[in-house]
Amino acid sequence: MNKLFVAILGLALLQSQTVKAQYDYPVDNRRMLFHDVINKAQKKIFELDGKKDASIFFSKDETINLQIEYALITRIDQLQKNIELDSALSHNNKIKYLRGLETLLKSYIANFRKKDFPVTIAPTLVGSFEQAMALDKDNRSIEPVVAENSYAIGKIIVDCFAFPENPGVPNSRLILIRKYILLHPHEILPLLKSNTSLPFADSLLLVAAYRDPRRLYDFAAANDKLANMIRANKDSLIQTVVLLSQSKSGQMYMPFLDLLSKQKITLEEIDKVKDNDLSYYKLLVKTRIDYVGRMVGPQKDTPMEMEAITKMMITKAKNYFITQINGLHNSPDPVRFRCLEPLTPQELYYLCVLGEDEIYTSSYIGVYNRIFQRMKVPRGDSLILSVNADYFRKFIKMAAAYNTLDGLLKSMPNDNATSLMRAFMFGLEKTASVENIEDAVDVADSYSSIFEKNKQVAALMLSEANANYERCKRNGNKNGEVVYMLEKTLFESADSTNKVDLSAKLGIPPIFNIHNKDLLNDSGRVVQEVFFYGDEDKDGQNSYQSFMSLFRGRPEWSISDNNNWTTIKSTKGKPVWIFANKPLYGEDDPDAKAQAALNEYLESKNLEPTIFVHRGHSYHVKSSLQQIQPSAKIVILGSCGGYNNLSQVLNISEDAHIISSKQVGTKSVNDPILKAINDELLAGKNIDWLSLWKKLSKQFTGEAKERFDDYIPPYKNLGALFIKAYKKQMETVE
């Protein structure tokens, strides 16, 4: 016999004997491989928590960890043994069930931590496998097991018994579709696109249509089986959506879908106004007020396509009105605000609340004043009631930011003013979630301004925060407890005499300072990127020239440039490199191309900025935010820091220190702030916001001081702090 063959055979037998030693029961060599695969999968289970040991740590609750370990290790081991020793099972069936156990473990691993597959399913999953195996042995359907369990368990069980296929698998797959759709109703239409022959397809289509008509509109416009199925459905809403999907003006009709489907408005009526921005905006406002009235009324009705009407109102408000009055900021008021003449107080109100991110300070004041000039009885409470309190928190927040809140509250009886501010504070938990906490952030944001201007109102807000915290605590509302605990803590911190340590109390990184070492890259230098924008009115160009005057002619800085950007490097002190794109104006957005070229250069040189600065009008902020990197430690917006801007920055870099303005930024304030920061960096010092802001405050007088006071340092940016702290707190709330 060949010596090599004998040696290999001997080694194989030795390995087989070594593996056999793992088991305290005889294992047929033909099935050894299947047992080994299960054992290897169990070892991977132990590694899922990131620790290479023989214990499981998937939950903070040790009882849950022990239950998972018992199910996936001890019970699986016992099932292996039972299958191997079951004399009533054929070799092929033993392999089938061992493969099923392998599938169970590998599916658990593959779906570990996925939303639909909680780690806690392990005990029930293994028990369900045993039930399904008992049914399969008698050639009975596993359908009852799939039906009575969650989607996650059902999905894994079906996969375990798919080959050879249990007789209940086809019906079980239909059950799984129903379970999946309950978890993900937004997936109905994509599912139907490839499964139009489902026995309950028509029922699913109706659910999808009433849940998301906008998405139905997109699918109805296609040319496939699903589109044909949609067009064949006789439901009035679906037929209305089909009609709109076939029209070139379908997007203009969608905000009125609810009224169209109920025959309360006709396409002809919309056609009369849709090509006129003013008339169309008026119809949108009228419809929005009606919709909100239905939502807050006794019927608690939620009209379809509220999102569509809001988006269209924002588009029309910004493009037709706000852009005009912003662009004419150097013109006399009669010229600048002429486009607002036909608008009612309610229509002006929506310009304010929907234009928060783009409206200039002077534009806001012009719109705000005209609201009350056009009211027969100029009262804030009457105004808010006339729009069914829609966006009232946003209106109050903006009034606080633009110093018009006192006038707003004084325009109504004291009792009503008190009731309004109590409503401002009440029910924040209802709209607060990790995905969107705008109302709660607006309340937090407003407090700094209110505390500085009206101590009586600030005291009322703090009292209401405490009262609402106790209310939520009594009701066992954990989300509400978190929201109001944060509000009252942030309110208390606004008074420096309270000496509230927000970092310690809320579990967030230090907010009063940032260490120099945290701003350095791997080469020990601070890298900054500054975004400028070329404007027709030369504002961006003037801002750039003012910025450059901080460095020109100063021996501690060297300057070089090319067609797209300027590079500024320190020649004395610690290494600081600043890159600023040139504000270029012209066709094809040349400053955007300059920024892209700069970003490409920084990436090619592995230069990651830790300080990002936006210099430009508020309507340019979106472009700057899209270019901020996770390396950001300090972000200076230099213009309005509304909720959307703050949350976007913190989604990119959750620990970023944000400086923003309650109103429109100005170079006369931006430049001194940047100089003060760079002076500290050159000296290699930590940035201490309290002392830095105190020094800066002494530099300004008169109107410049008022402008500076509108800038919010990181430790006073209560909106940003709320976002950070809320996300942190909710990590611990189950």
Side-chain angles (χ1 to χ4, degrees):
M1 186 179 287
N2 184 286
K3 290 182 179 180
L4 178 62
F5 177 76
V6 171
I8 292 172
L9 180 62
L11 181 61
L13 288 171
L14 179 62
Q15 288 175 335
S16 176
Q17 290 167 1
T18 303
V19 173
K20 278 184 181 179
Q22 297 180 45
Y23 306 103
D24 59 1
Y25 53 92
V27 177
D28 190 311
N29 281 338
R30 295 175 299 166
R31 294 186 291 277
M32 187 66 69
L33 177 63
F34 299 99
H35 284 281
D36 291 348
V37 169
I38 292 171
N39 294 342
K40 287 178 182 177
Q42 287 177 308
K43 288 180 181 178
K44 286 185 179 179
I45 294 285
F46 283 121
E47 296 172 3
L48 289 175
D49 58 11
K51 300 174 184 177
K52 292 189 176 182
D53 55 23
S55 62
I56 284 173
F57 189 76
F58 298 167
S59 169
K60 294 177 181 178
D61 188 334
E62 185 55 27
T63 302
I64 292 175
N65 291 325
L66 292 172
Q67 290 172 345
I68 294 171
E69 186 174 331
Y70 178 75
L72 298 180
I73 307 302
T74 306
R75 288 181 68 185
I76 292 289
D77 286 347
Q78 189 60 50
L79 278 169
Q80 281 180 263
K81 183 175 182 178
N82 293 346
I83 292 167
E84 185 63 36
L85 299 181
D86 191 339
S87 59
L89 288 176
S90 67
H91 168 67
N92 285 339
N93 276 338
K94 289 182 180 183
I95 290 176
K96 174 183 179 178
Y97 297 134
L98 290 172
R99 277 180 167 169
L101 289 178
E102 175 194 346
T103 299
L104 183 151
L105 291 169
K106 287 185 174 180
S107 294
Y108 187 90
I109 293 167
N111 293 293
F112 184 69
R113 298 291 188 196
K114 288 184 181 177
K115 186 176 179 181
D116 291 345
F117 295 82
V119 296
T120 52
I121 64 173
T124 308
L125 176 61
V126 176
S128 298
F129 180 90
E130 290 186 81
Q131 294 174 33
M133 187 171 70
L135 292 170
D136 190 75
K137 284 180 181 179
D138 294 336
N139 199 33
R140 288 189 290 161
S141 170
I142 62 170
E143 187 178 340
V145 178
V146 175
E148 70 185 19
N149 281 291
S150 67
Y151 167 77
I153 292 172
K155 175 72 169 63
I156 294 175
I157 294 299
V158 166
D159 291 344
C160 290
F161 291 88
F163 184 81
E165 190 174 86
N166 176 274
V169 165
N171 280 344
S172 292
R173 293 194 190 281
L174 295 178
I175 292 171
L176 287 179
I177 288 174
R178 290 183 182 276
K179 289 179 181 290
Y180 181 79
I181 289 304
L182 285 173
L183 293 172
H184 306 283
H186 61 283
E187 292 293 331
I188 292 176
L189 291 170
L191 177 75
L192 287 176
K193 191 173 179 68
S194 54
N195 294 278
T196 52
S197 60
L198 284 173
F200 43 85
D202 284 336
S203 299
L204 287 180
L205 182 60
L206 281 173
V207 172
Y210 282 86
R211 183 188 177 277
D212 193 350
R214 166 70 58 172
R215 207 163 192 211
L216 183 72
Y217 173 96
D218 295 334
F219 280 85
N223 185 23
D224 55 20
K225 287 184 178 180
L226 177 56
N228 291 334
M229 177 181 158
I230 293 170
R231 289 192 281 270
N233 194 288
K234 301 303 180 185
D235 179 80
S236 61
L237 170 63
I238 294 177
Q239 282 301 303
T240 303
V241 173
V242 168
L243 181 64
L244 301 190
S245 71
Q246 295 170 342
S247 167
K248 292 181 180 179
S249 302
Q251 298 291 346
M252 302 291 283
Y253 298 131
M254 282 301 287
F256 309 101
L257 178 63
D258 192 89
L259 299 179
L260 285 167
S261 66
K262 295 172 181 173
Q263 298 181 339
K264 292 185 177 180
I265 196 172
T266 65
L267 291 177
E268 289 72 24
E269 289 175 287
I270 301 171
D271 285 337
K272 289 178 182 178
V273 300
K274 69 179 174 61
D275 296 324
N276 182 291
D277 289 313
L278 173 62
S279 301
Y280 187 70
Y281 175 73
K282 283 178 168 288
L283 181 59
L284 288 169
V285 171
K286 178 177 178 292
T287 306
R288 169 86 193 186
I289 293 172
D290 173 58
Y291 281 4
V292 175
R294 286 163 53 185
M295 292 173 69
V296 301
Q299 67 271 43
K300 293 291 186 291
D301 175 27
T302 303
M304 291 179 290
E305 284 304 287
M306 280 293 287
E307 185 178 353
I309 197 168
T310 305
K311 285 182 177 178
M312 190 63 77
M313 284 175 71
I314 291 172
T315 299
K316 291 299 178 182
K318 290 181 177 180
N319 293 349
Y320 184 70
F321 298 104
I322 295 172
T323 300
Q324 275 197 65
I325 59 178
N326 281 351
L328 294 170
H329 64 277
N330 290 323
S331 302
D333 279 6
V335 175
R336 183 180 184 185
F337 296 106
R338 184 177 296 145
C339 65
L340 305 184
E341 288 305 312
L343 298 184
T344 65
Q346 292 74 24
E347 291 156 0
L348 291 167
Y349 173 93
Y350 279 104
L351 289 187
C352 287
V353 295
L354 297 179
E356 179 192 18
D357 292 339
E358 294 193 14
I359 197 165
Y360 289 2
T361 302
S362 55
S363 298
Y364 166 85
I365 297 299
V367 175
Y368 179 88
N369 289 339
R370 280 162 177 76
I371 290 174
F372 291 95
Q373 288 167 6
R374 293 180 193 174
M375 294 181 71
K376 290 181 179 178
V377 180
R379 283 177 44 165
D381 50 351
S382 300
L383 173 69
I384 290 171
L385 285 174
S386 72
V387 295
N388 293 313
D390 195 18
Y391 286 108
F392 84 100
R393 286 194 179 92
K394 183 71 66 183
F395 191 65
I396 291 174
K397 180 240 180 167
M398 292 181 72
Y402 292 109
N403 299 323
T404 58
L405 182 60
D406 275 355
L408 176 67
L409 296 178
K410 287 175 182 176
S411 72
M412 63 188 86
N414 287 338
D415 288 350
N416 287 7
T418 300
S419 296
L420 178 63
M421 293 310 296
R422 281 182 173 154
F424 184 58
M425 293 298 304
F426 184 79
L428 294 175
E429 76 279 5
K430 296 176 183 177
T431 57
S433 67
V434 174
E435 290 75 28
N436 193 321
I437 47 174
E438 185 167 2
D439 281 350
V441 170
D442 280 347
V443 168
D445 253 342
S446 68
Y447 189 81
S448 291
S449 302
I450 292 171
F451 181 76
E452 292 170 7
K453 300 287 192 298
N454 193 323
K455 294 291 192 292
Q456 186 177 352
V457 174
L460 173 64
M461 289 177 66
L462 178 56
S463 173
E464 289 299 307
N466 279 295
N468 280 289
Y469 171 77
E470 294 299 333
R471 172 180 61 82
C472 290
K473 192 174 182 180
R474 285 194 305 272
N475 295 338
N477 188 317
K478 296 295 183 183
N479 185 48
E481 282 187 57
V482 170
V483 168
Y484 286 108
M485 179 275 290
L486 294 177
E487 295 287 9
K488 68 191 187 75
T489 303
L490 291 172
F491 291 177
E492 289 165 353
S493 75
D495 185 346
S496 58
T497 61
N498 289 328
K499 297 181 179 179
V500 177
D501 186 345
L502 289 176
S503 297
K505 202 158 187 178
L506 302 182
I508 57 178
I511 60 169
F512 291 100
N513 55 67
I514 185 165
H515 287 282
N516 184 273
K517 64 180 177 61
D518 293 331
L519 298 171
L520 304 178
N521 66 6
D522 294 340
S523 301
R525 65 175 69 96
V526 178
V527 179
Q528 304 175 33
E529 185 171 10
V530 188
F531 303 110
F532 284 98
Y533 296 86
D535 298 301
E536 186 176 10
D537 60 8
K538 303 296 184 183
D539 274 4
Q541 293 86 335
N542 293 336
S543 180
Y544 172 80
Q545 293 302 329
S546 177
F547 170 76
M548 290 305 302
S549 70
L550 297 175
F551 309 99
R552 287 195 180 106
R554 297 178 184 270
E556 64 267 34
W557 299 104
S558 70
I559 300 172
S560 61
D561 65 2
N562 57 37
N563 292 334
N564 291 313
W565 72 83
T566 299
T567 302
I568 305 163
K569 294 182 179 180
S570 61
T571 56
K572 297 180 180 180
K574 300 297 181 180
V576 178
W577 289 10
I578 304 170
F579 298 88
N581 72 278
K582 292 186 175 179
L584 307 173
Y585 179 72
E587 295 181 2
D588 299 326
D589 215 356
D591 54 16
K593 292 178 181 177
Q595 290 170 0
L598 172 55
N599 289 331
E600 187 176 336
Y601 170 79
L602 294 175
E603 186 175 351
S604 70
K605 299 297 182 182
N606 293 317
L607 295 171
E608 293 188 338
T610 53
I611 300 176
F612 289 86
V613 184
H614 164 79
R615 296 290 296 265
H617 292 312
S618 55
Y619 48 79
H620 293 307
V621 172
K622 184 177 180 181
S623 177
S624 294
L625 292 178
Q626 290 172 346
Q627 301 176 78
I628 293 174
Q629 301 298 315
S631 56
K633 300 299 181 185
I634 297 175
V635 176
I636 304 173
L637 292 178
S639 64
C640 179
Y643 170 77
N644 292 325
N645 297 339
L646 297 179
S647 59
Q648 189 169 338
V649 170
L650 295 175
N651 282 338
I652 298 167
S653 176
E654 63 180 12
D655 295 333
H657 289 224
I658 302 173
I659 297 175
S660 60
S661 173
K662 290 183 287 186
Q663 303 191 38
V664 173
T666 173
K667 60 180 181 288
S668 63
V669 177
N670 289 332
D671 289 341
I673 290 175
L674 292 176
K675 182 181 185 304
I677 290 174
N678 282 317
D679 286 347
E680 299 293 282
L681 296 177
L682 286 176
K685 295 180 179 179
N686 300 330
I687 304 293
D688 184 318
W689 296 118
L690 276 170
S691 61
L692 184 116
W693 225 251
K694 193 173 182 179
K695 289 177 187 175
L696 280 167
S697 182
K698 294 177 181 177
Q699 296 181 26
F700 300 98
T701 58
E703 184 180 345
K705 179 65 164 61
E706 290 181 14
R707 294 286 190 107
F708 173 72
D709 287 343
D710 285 328
Y711 279 70
I712 311 169
Y715 64 92
K716 279 193 173 183
N717 202 327
L718 301 190
L721 296 178
F722 189 98
I723 295 171
K724 289 183 185 183
Y726 182 79
K727 289 181 178 179
K728 188 76 176 176
Q729 292 291 321
M730 292 309 289
E731 289 175 4
T732 63
V733 176
E734 296 184 357

